[in-house]
Amino acid sequence: MTESSLIVCGLPESGKTTFLAALWHLVLSKEINTKLSLSGLSHGEYSYVTDIKDKWLKGRRQERNKLNTPVQSVGMDLIKSDEGVVRVVFPDHSGEAYSEMWEARSCSNEVAEQLRSRSGILLFINLNLIKAPRPLFDDIDLNKALNQALPEDEVGVPWDAALSPDQVKLVDILQFLRCNELNANDGKLAIFLSAWDLVENQGLGPEDLLCARMPLLDQYLKCGQHGWDVKIHGLSAQGAEYLSEDDKEEDASEMLIEMLDKSGSERIRLLFDGKESHDLTESLEWLTS
Amino acid sequence: MASAETPLPCRNSDCTFAETGKCVEAHDVDSCPHRQQIDNGEVIDSADGVVSGGEDGTEDVSNEGTANRFNLGRKKTLDLGGASALLRKASANLIATIGPVKAGKTCLIAAMYDTFQYSQYNAYTFAGSQTLAAFEGICHSARSTSQAGDLLNPRTKSSEHPFFYHLSISEHSGQELNNLLLADRSGEIYEEICKKPSVAEECLELERADLLNVLVDGLKLCDRFQRAAMISTCQNMMLALSESGVVPPALRVNLVLTKCDDIEVSENKESAYAAFKDLAARIEDQCGSVFTKFSMFNVVAVRKHNVLVERYGLEALLQSWLEPVVPAQMFVSKTVTSNRAFGTSVMPNGGTS
């Protein structure tokens, strides 16, 4: 049996935990044929992944992993058709752990060790929530055009790393993952543009949409000098706005009701290489090859 | 020379310090970025690439980290040690930018980086940077997130040493990477050079520069009370530099007119542009034999008026920064007559002549 440690990373609310929940359901339920299938339940501990899977099936939002809570690891023994069983381990770090790399320029030793020994990276980006840069001139120009008063404070707020655009944070995180200090190998990088259903009406495929919405990250990936082997995917694993823990079922939108009427596997939409499927393990097959 | 058992006190194997007590790169021993500490025949300081101290809030970090924390060893800006470490690993053009206080040196550096964020270069692609956080800090005042009521130039704190920003850039047409080290510091020291040329010897970034940008504040050229003094300061600065012996031979010089959108909306627009040309002619006349190639550029780093295209002039300037460095022996001294301009000049519309 070979073992692959795949790091699931991304800024807060980028869809990491939802992916794991959907993946677990996919391989456990066998509702559809998948490239990788579950070998068995011998990994030992499935409480966390069962909880997140159940929440996902019920249309409830996942709780955010907090920075200083113990890292939950999701492990699966998966059968690859001609290679036997591969054990795939996903440490599910909070998004703040990655924000911290940018803001504090450090991470926990545990995170560092996992990043060092990883086989591949799954990077999640929620294009619907990203912070993009915007020139102050545009605000001033707009205020003048609308005859609105400008802020009285000419100087404004001091710079804080948290204020930087998300594309800058992600580029720097990817640079960290390849830095001498970590001494990690070259690897495969699967990028998932999550909540794809909310952005697909822009009429662009995943690669073109990333280029349009995060040009700095797109340039960095295309320059090819970073050592990553990259694939970009669009991913929708919910298809509708989920309910919070306190919401009543009657608050569910029509779209959510429509989704809940589908099987879990059918809710999943994965777009890459010009085609669409429900099979999340296709990306894992590539990552572990 | 050192044997395998006797390490050199300097990581530069060509250095003659062990024999002569003098640094081969003319560094002061205490500030030499290559210096190693030797104790009982063993190197005890192998801080390759680790830099200390710094300006503008850079932290002193080591790779050991505190308990349970792994330090990613990243700095904001690079200091002399960090810049030297980068130069040892990869070729890079070192770009020095001088000019009076408030001429827009830091704004220009910020704008050159920020243009990549909007994918607004036609020919160039961002390939990475070791100083992303530092760039972000200097871009902040021109961003919406500052919530400022006006576009104010960030002031660079006075510093004893220069600090550096790093950009790795590739051309759309090829895979080759070009590294730029962009030196910055507060402008007071450059104004000091006018009064005391020997101050230039403290500016190591000038000594090592592959290209020198000399910034001329376009807003001051529009002001009849400031114009003559601005011209005099720039001319004085260049004369002092050319006579200091500090700058390397065959140094390329860009004369960069900043805040061109302010000029365009000024009633003294014609006078401002004429003053810039006059300044260029004066510098060429006095210093043309020392600096072998002059070019003129008009730019807008931080747009304040809607009169010129966004990022005006920046791509042409970036192209000049990325030109390969030509070894000094390939140049011969140029004798330039006073009624001829420079080898290349950039017209206000961004074209070259």
Side-chain angles (χ1 to χ4, degrees), chain B residues 54-72:
Chain B
E55 306 298 331
D56 293 338
T58 56
E59 311 92 72
D60 184 10
V61 296
S62 71
N63 285 340
E64 291 175 2
T66 54
N68 208 37
R69 301 299 299 175
F70 182 86
N71 224 314
L72 289 155

Side-chain angles (χ1 to χ4, degrees), chain A residues 56-60 197 238-243 248-264 266-267:
Chain A
W56 175 72
L57 285 171
K58 291 175 185 174
R60 297 281 175 177
D197 53 298
Q238 291 184 181
E241 180 72 29
Y242 271 25
L243 298 171
K248 298 189 177 59
E249 287 178 358
E250 41 269 35
D251 295 332
S253 66
E254 280 184 27
M255 188 87 77
L256 178 57
I257 291 169
E258 191 180 316
M259 282 294 137
L260 292 174
D261 282 342
K262 294 184 180 180
S263 70
E266 284 178 329
R267 297 180 209 174

Side-chain angles (χ1 to χ4, degrees), chain A residues 89-118:
Chain A
V89 179
F90 305 91
D92 190 13
H93 296 290
S94 74
E96 278 83 2
Y98 297 101
S99 298
E100 199 178 39
M101 288 184 198
W102 162 254
E103 294 173 25
R105 322 197 83 62
S106 69
C107 61
S108 69
N109 286 331
E110 182 187 15
V111 169
E113 186 49 43
Q114 286 166 352
L115 293 175
R116 186 180 286 120
S117 57
R118 49 71 182 158

Side-chain angles (χ1 to χ4, degrees), chain B residues 287-313:
Chain B
C287 314
S289 60
V290 176
F291 306 118
T292 55
K293 183 182 177 185
F294 283 102
S295 301
M296 295 161 67
F297 293 88
N298 296 357
V299 301
V300 174
V302 178
R303 188 167 57 148
K304 290 182 181 168
H305 308 282
N306 226 341
V307 291
L308 293 170
V309 297
E310 214 173 348
R311 316 287 167 183
Y312 179 76

Side-chain angles (χ1 to χ4, degrees), chain A residues 107 134 136 139 157 167 175 219, chain B residues 70 116-117 140 142 144 146:
Chain A
C107 61
R134 178 179 163 82
L136 179 62
D139 289 351
V157 303
Q167 62 178 354
Q175 289 187 136
Q219 289 170 64
Chain B
F70 182 86
F116 286 110
Q117 295 244 29
H140 175 65
S144 181
S146 70

Side-chain angles (χ1 to χ4, degrees), chain B residues 37-44:
Chain B
Q37 290 184 25
I38 310 291
D39 185 21
N40 287 332
E42 289 193 3
V43 175
I44 60 170

Side-chain angles (χ1 to χ4, degrees), chain A residues 66-83:
Chain A
K66 300 280 182 358
L67 180 59
N68 295 317
T69 51
V71 173
Q72 302 286 352
S73 256
V74 173
M76 303 175 195
D77 293 339
L78 300 174
I79 301 170
K80 288 180 85 169
S81 56
D82 52 356
E83 293 178 35

